[in-house]
Amino acid sequence: MNQHARRLLTAFGLAAGLIVSAPAAMAAPILKVPTSEPRYAAIVMDANSGEILYNKRADSPRYPASITKVMTMYLAFEALSEGKLRLTDNIVVSPRAAAQQPTKLGLRAGSQITVDEALRSLALKSANDMAVAMAERLAGTETRFGALMTLRAQELGMTNTRFVNASGLPDSRQISTAHDLAILSRAVMRDFPQYYSYFGQQNAVIRGQAMRNHNKLLGKVPGVDGLKTGFTNASGYNLAASAVQNNRRLIAVVLGGPSGAARDNSVEDLLLTGFDVIKRRGRGERITVAQNLFEPEPSGPIMRPSIEQGDAEQDNLKIVLTENPSAPAKMAVQKKMPAKAAGAYKVQVGAFKQKSLAGKQLQITERKFAKVFANADGAVEAGPGGSFRARFGGFSADGAKRACATLTAQRQVCMIVKP
């Protein structure tokens, strides 16, 4: 009996265990999403070494939503690599598959679709009907496939994961973590590099339907080439993404974002930060990816309050981001520009324990809000208790209000300083 068959039989045993008790060693983990903490969770992993560069509640259970489909595709890739499935094979859409809730391809029961088309529909459109059709093709029923998914997850080291469906549609029993989803993302590109490109397709036309990948970081952030978004009301906005720069690959997973834009911004920040840290480590610097401002002795730089950390996370979390690898640095720790704005009001965009961090905050804020601060004076000012404040001056009262309104609309920390 080959390995794939043994997994199927074991999975069937797990599924049957819903009725008949299975051995404890084979029982799926019983996990619950905590209600006493924010939904936001995140991780950055070095895909080469597996090192965790950043961790925020990464091992706390969460709902994976459609990131689940990465495991569905992993098992399809496994069947393809073992010759048990071919890309040209047809999959029959069952009545159960056709009845799935959107997002879906929308084929009628009895229709057929090739494995290749189904995989592309999963990757781009996150088609729930195709997830069920694939599950039934591989394991007979989605229940059995869910058990097989869980078993495979455990074998990969995803110790805090349980799957019960192939799509990620809401089910309180379907649980994973940011850490486990990073492990899965790493595994799929490591074990099946020949199929990883499915996650990087930006556009496709399938069965007459024009599709655009839900992962908006593709083509936007340098080096991003996958993986998968997800959303349910219970999970919030999720994204597992991977990028490669200078022959180094990182994986970032964000779960529980308050919006799609929030989630995307957070993942982008984490990836760019991670690459910056790798580059600086290569120069011999000892730095970490993230630092909590409430820690008494920060051991590394802190970036702007990340817009969209979700669930008020930026009240106490600041992520490292020094220079954007895709753009040259534009200013030093303290920058003075010709003052064209008339006024004695100032706008404060952050307070830090290190002068260099306040300077970097000025740089990043001015780059992101170039129109707001085009004619302002940026400077680092000493504050009480040895703190350093990042401020832009030269505003009128109304100008300062408008500037802060623009920043706060993007969840950027801002405070008006009167003369």
Side-chain angles (χ1 to χ4, degrees), residues 275-339:
F275 285 120
D276 185 68
V277 167
I278 288 174
K279 179 176 66 176
R280 294 175 63 183
R281 281 182 175 181
R283 298 200 298 259
E285 297 184 45
R286 297 181 61 186
I287 58 174
T288 58
V289 173
Q291 201 65 46
N292 189 312
L293 280 187
F294 293 148
E295 292 176 358
E297 294 295 335
S299 60
I302 300 167
M303 80 165 227
R304 62 181 169 95
S306 178
I307 64 172
E308 326 304 18
Q309 285 293 335
D311 297 306
E313 283 299 283
Q314 61 225 37
D315 289 345
N316 70 341
L317 175 67
K318 307 294 180 250
I319 307 167
V320 180
L321 183 59
T322 52
E323 64 181 36
N324 185 334
S326 64
K330 297 198 297 182
M331 64 182 290
V333 170
Q334 182 164 323
K335 179 177 180 177
K336 297 288 286 185
M337 297 177 290

Side-chain angles (χ1 to χ4, degrees), residues 147-222:
L148 180 59
M149 294 167 75
T150 300
L151 179 65
R152 195 70 183 98
Q154 293 174 350
E155 291 176 348
L156 291 174
M158 300 168 64
T159 56
N160 293 311
T161 293
R162 181 184 183 182
F163 293 113
V164 296
N165 66 50
S167 64
L169 283 170
D171 191 309
S172 61
R173 300 168 297 165
Q174 182 129 318
I175 301 295
S176 191
T177 66
H179 190 180
D180 280 4
L181 293 173
I183 291 172
L184 173 60
S185 300
R186 186 185 184 209
V188 76
M189 63 184 70
R190 176 196 66 213
D191 298 343
F192 306 111
Q194 68 273 37
Y195 300 120
Y196 178 67
S197 61
Y198 275 104
F199 297 106
Q201 295 184 50
Q202 292 182 253
N203 300 280
V205 177
I206 302 173
R207 296 299 177 95
Q209 297 186 37
M211 299 180 186
R212 183 178 180 184
N213 201 309
H214 294 175
N215 183 358
K216 296 182 180 179
L217 298 189
L218 292 168
K220 176 188 174 185
V221 177

Side-chain angles (χ1 to χ4, degrees), residues 37 58 91 95 120 165 243 260:
E37 62 183 31
I91 297 175
R120 287 191 288 145
N165 66 50

Side-chain angles (χ1 to χ4, degrees), residues 44-178:
V44 179
M45 175 185 287
D46 185 325
N48 302 83
S49 66
E51 179 188 1
I52 305 303
L53 299 176
Y54 172 69
N55 175 338
K56 183 70 172 181
R57 289 188 286 271
D59 289 306
S60 185
R62 295 291 186 271
Y63 299 120
S66 281
I67 298 179
T68 294
K69 294 183 177 79
V70 177
M71 177 58 85
T72 301
M73 295 178 69
Y74 182 99
L75 292 177
F77 296 157
E78 184 175 65
L80 287 167
S81 68
E82 293 175 353
K84 296 178 174 59
L85 198 65
R86 295 177 299 177
L87 291 174
T88 55
D89 286 348
N90 284 321
I91 297 175
V92 178
V93 180
S94 70
R96 188 173 188 278
Q100 293 301 300
Q101 295 297 312
T103 301
K104 61 181 182 179
L105 194 57
L107 298 185
R108 294 181 179 180
S111 301
Q112 294 188 17
I113 187 168
T114 67
V115 170
D116 174 65
E117 290 174 318
L119 288 170
R120 287 191 288 145
S121 299
L122 286 169
L124 274 78
K125 192 177 181 67
S126 197
N128 294 321
D129 51 353
M130 294 299 99
V132 174
M134 183 68 72
E136 292 173 339
R137 175 65 172 80
L138 292 173
T141 69
E142 188 178 17
T143 299
R144 289 173 174 173
F145 189 73
L148 180 59
M149 294 167 75
T150 300
L151 179 65
R152 195 70 183 98
Q154 293 174 350
E155 291 176 348
L156 291 174
M158 300 168 64
T159 56
N160 293 311
T161 293
R162 181 184 183 182
F163 293 113
V164 296
N165 66 50
S167 64
L169 283 170
D171 191 309
S172 61
R173 300 168 297 165
Q174 182 129 318
I175 301 295
S176 191
T177 66

Side-chain angles (χ1 to χ4, degrees), residues 338-344 375-377 393-396:
K340 298 179 183 178
N375 299 319
D377 299 324
F395 288 94
S396 65

Side-chain angles (χ1 to χ4, degrees), residues 12-25:
F12 296 164
L14 283 171
L18 297 173
I19 303 173
V20 179
S21 296

Side-chain angles (χ1 to χ4, degrees), residues 233-283:
N233 289 330
S235 72
Y237 291 83
N238 299 345
L239 174 60
S242 182
V244 60
Q245 293 184 14
N246 299 318
N247 295 318
R248 296 295 297 271
R249 178 176 288 279
L250 295 181
I251 296 164
V253 178
V254 164
L255 305 179
S259 69
R263 168 201 66 195
D264 293 348
N265 288 337
S266 186
V267 171
E268 180 179 359
D269 286 344
L270 290 169
L271 285 172
L272 295 180
T273 296
F275 285 120
D276 185 68
V277 167
I278 288 174
K279 179 176 66 176
R280 294 175 63 183
R281 281 182 175 181
R283 298 200 298 259

